[in-house]
Amino acid sequence: MTVTLPTIQRLERSDTEGVINAIIKDGCCVVKGFADANTISTVNREVQPYLEADKPWKGDLFPPETRRCPNLVGRSPTARDTWFVDPLIRAVNATFIDKTTSNYYGETKHTYTSEAVCTIALTFDIGPGAQAQRLHRDDKNYHVDHTDQTPTPQGGGGYRVGSDVLIGFLIAGVPTTYENGATLAIPGSHLWDNERVPHLHEATHAALEPGDMWIMLGSLYHAGGANMTQNERRVVHGFFFTRGYMRQEENAYLANSPEEVLSWTPEAQKAMGYTLSSPNIGAVLFRTPLDYLSGRQGDDFGDFDPSQEKK
């Protein structure tokens, strides 16, 4: 019997609607040519000292042949100022991770939107001999209860946009192939409930050229592949986002000094969680994090979200 593996959709970086539709259908896709060669080369160079200084992981999460550069946003100015705040990443986050709710404040209806923030950003460098990870969902950290969203013959079911709380973007720093450990994934598994078991024979691999970007929902079953080569290293740069009111996996607040954070662009500061999640999450002594870091003083305490004011 011939087994047909699912295919991964590959789209142009200008096709935002196509990217969003592919994620809705499959839980993942590849964006071709997301980054140019010069930017890739610069980011690779910026993270190299941190990769070389990293130590083997003692546990099951990463193969010992893997090297990591955590705090990618803080350590690579190029990655932070280009990819991290790219309009395509923002548009995808707005669709799948931002959360908008309405409720009454007295007799007036108010609407709040909590925008996505980075939960962890890091570079992976997987060396020869690394074994594959086990298939898993990245949203396990957030204790998500998955319900069955597979379409029915009667036309019911289907993916509910807004049901995910995590999404990942991985940009290839080198060619990633089946042989050197390209990500294994099961397109469509974002629709499965908690009880369905993933199997390797259902997975395909996400081969990437340098500069291509792999996008996957946190509900998608996937795994880092085995590096079966003798001398190739698989380098990918990753940004993962969650909802602004949820706890971040990587505590970047302690990893970066106030002086460093204040030198970032407002867009990068916001995406890293140094502004507030509407309406009131993330204050420091009833001030915004940026006011606190900059040392701005005053007695102008007030509502953080103007929509809370009486109308």
Side-chain angles (χ1 to χ4, degrees), residues 38-83:
N38 287 337
T39 306
I40 283 289
S41 177
T42 302
V43 174
N44 286 349
R45 185 172 63 252
E46 288 173 346
V47 302
Q48 189 60 36
Y50 302 102
L51 295 174
E52 292 176 354
D54 194 30
K55 305 298 182 184
W57 186 266
K58 296 180 180 180
D60 188 54
L61 186 59
F62 301 108
E65 296 83 3
T66 299
R67 298 294 180 267
R68 297 155 301 276
C69 172
N71 190 27
L72 178 61
V73 169
R75 288 172 164 175
S76 172
T78 304
R80 179 180 66 242
D81 295 339
T82 54
W83 305 337

Side-chain angles (χ1 to χ4, degrees), residues 99-117:
K99 180 70 171 180
T100 298
T101 54
S102 297
N103 58 71
Y104 281 90
Y105 205 158
E107 296 181 357
T108 305
K109 190 175 185 179
H110 296 267
T111 298
Y112 308 110
T113 297
S114 177
E115 293 189 6
V117 296

